[in-house]
Amino acid sequence: QSEAMNIARIGNKDQADMEPWKLVKKDPDRVKTIMHLAVQITANLGIAWEPFLPDTAQKIKDFLNIDQYNWEMLGTTGILTSGHQVGKSEILFQKIDDSFVEKELEKLRASQKELVTNDAQPQKDSIDFDDFTKTDIRTGLITGAEKVKGADKLLKLTVNTGLDTRTIVSGIAHQYKAEEVVGKTVSVLLNLAPRKIRGVESQGMILMAEDADGSLSFIVPEKGLKTGSEIR
C-alpha cells in the first residue's frame, strides 16, 4: 500500500515540476511525452491498487481501456503502447474540504445525541468489586403466580432457582398478568435478605429493566441456560 502511494507521489511531483499546462504553448511535443508518462503511471496505480482499492482500480481500467491488468508489468513504463485510445476520465476520489468534514461531524454528533437520552437516570455511587461479588444472581423459572390480595401491583411468584423453590413478591402486576409470567425464565437476586410484603415473605428479587416511562421488561439470557445458572 505504501509503495502504491509512492507511485502516486511520483506522478504528482512530475506534473507539478513539468507544468504541462504551461509548457504546451512552447513545446507541445514535450507535453506529449509528459502526458504519455502520466498515463503509464496511472496504469501502474491501477495494478498496485487492485488488491485493496478494487473499485478505484476498475475505474482506472475503464478509463485506460484495459481488459486485464498484467502484474508482471508493474513498475514499468510500457503498459500502454503508443497510439492506445483511452476512454472518458472521471474523478477517482471526492475532494474533502472543511465544509464536508463539518457536515460529517454534525452527523456524528447527532447520532451520539440519539444514543444518550436525557431521560436516563444518573449513575449511582461506585461500589467495590468485592461488594459486587457478594451478590448471588441466577436464572430462575417462574412455576406459579398469583396476585397478592389487597395489592394491585404485587404478584406472588413461585420460582425454581435451581437450588430450591421459593416465593418472591414482585411489583409487576400492573404490567403483567399472573398467567403471562408462568414459564418465563428470569434473573433472580437470591441472597437478598427475606422480608415480608403484605404478609407474604419474599425470599429474593426478580430483576427487571425499566425505561423512563416506567415500562418493565424481564432480563432474560439471550440463549437457553439451565435454571440456576449464575449471572455475573
Side-chain angles (χ1 to χ4, degrees):
Q1 184 176 354
S2 61
E3 290 304 318
M5 293 308 297
N6 285 337
I7 295 173
R9 292 187 184 97
I10 291 171
N12 284 334
K13 186 176 186 306
D14 182 69
Q15 291 292 300
D17 291 345
M18 296 298 180
E19 297 183 321
W21 52 91
K22 294 181 180 178
L23 187 61
V24 68
K25 297 178 181 179
K26 299 178 181 179
D27 192 348
D29 289 336
R30 177 60 178 159
V31 169
K32 290 178 182 179
T33 301
I34 294 170
M35 299 311 298
H36 175 78
L37 180 59
V39 173
Q40 299 292 351
I41 291 174
T42 303
N44 272 273
L45 285 174
I47 297 174
W49 280 345
E50 189 175 30
F52 52 92
L53 290 174
D55 290 343
T56 301
Q58 183 62 49
K59 289 180 181 179
I60 294 175
K61 186 188 297 182
D62 294 341
F63 159 58
L64 296 179
N65 281 332
I66 298 176
D67 294 331
Q68 190 66 38
Y69 287 124
N70 183 351
W71 276 86
E72 294 180 355
M73 299 192 73
L74 180 61
T76 69
T77 57
I79 299 175
L80 301 177
T81 59
S82 178
H84 181 86
Q85 183 65 47
V86 298
K88 183 179 180 181
S89 63
E90 62 176 303
I91 296 175
L92 297 181
F93 303 104
Q94 179 182 354
K95 182 179 179 181
I96 300 177
D97 54 23
D98 291 342
S99 61
F100 176 83
V101 173
E102 185 57 35
K103 287 180 181 178
E104 293 302 308
L105 288 174
E106 285 291 339
K107 292 179 183 178
L108 179 61
R109 286 191 284 265
S111 65
Q112 291 175 334
K113 287 181 180 179
E114 292 177 1
L115 294 176
V116 181
T117 64
N118 294 328
D119 295 331
Q121 295 297 316
Q123 178 180 302
K124 296 181 180 179
D125 293 339
S126 298
I127 62 171
D128 293 331
F129 181 75
D130 290 341
D131 291 332
F132 172 75
T133 60
K134 294 176 183 178
T135 62
D136 191 344
I137 305 172
R138 308 194 186 198
T139 58
L141 178 66
I142 299 176
T143 59
E146 60 182 270
K147 290 196 68 172
V148 175
K149 293 180 181 179
D152 292 338
K153 295 184 179 181
L154 300 179
L155 286 182
K156 175 184 174 183
L157 307 175
T158 303
V159 182
N160 177 359
T161 67
L163 298 177
D164 54 27
T165 297
R166 62 180 65 185
T167 298
I168 298 177
V169 177
S170 183
I172 60 174
H174 59 303
Q175 293 192 30
Y176 290 94
K177 296 179 181 179
E179 59 269 22
E180 290 178 335
V181 301
V182 175
K184 285 188 176 295
T185 296
V186 295
S187 299
V188 185
L189 177 58
L190 296 184
N191 59 338
L192 184 66
R195 64 169 179 160
K196 280 196 173 184
I197 303 175
R198 290 296 182 98
V200 181
E201 185 176 72
S202 182
Q203 302 167 318
M205 176 183 289
I206 306 296
L207 301 183
M208 306 289 293
E210 181 178 9
D211 66 13
D213 66 5
S215 297
L216 299 176
S217 177
F218 290 106
I219 302 174
V220 182
E222 64 177 349
K223 60 181 180 180
L225 296 175
K226 291 182 179 180
T227 299
S229 296
E230 291 187 67
I231 299 174
R232 56 180 183 269

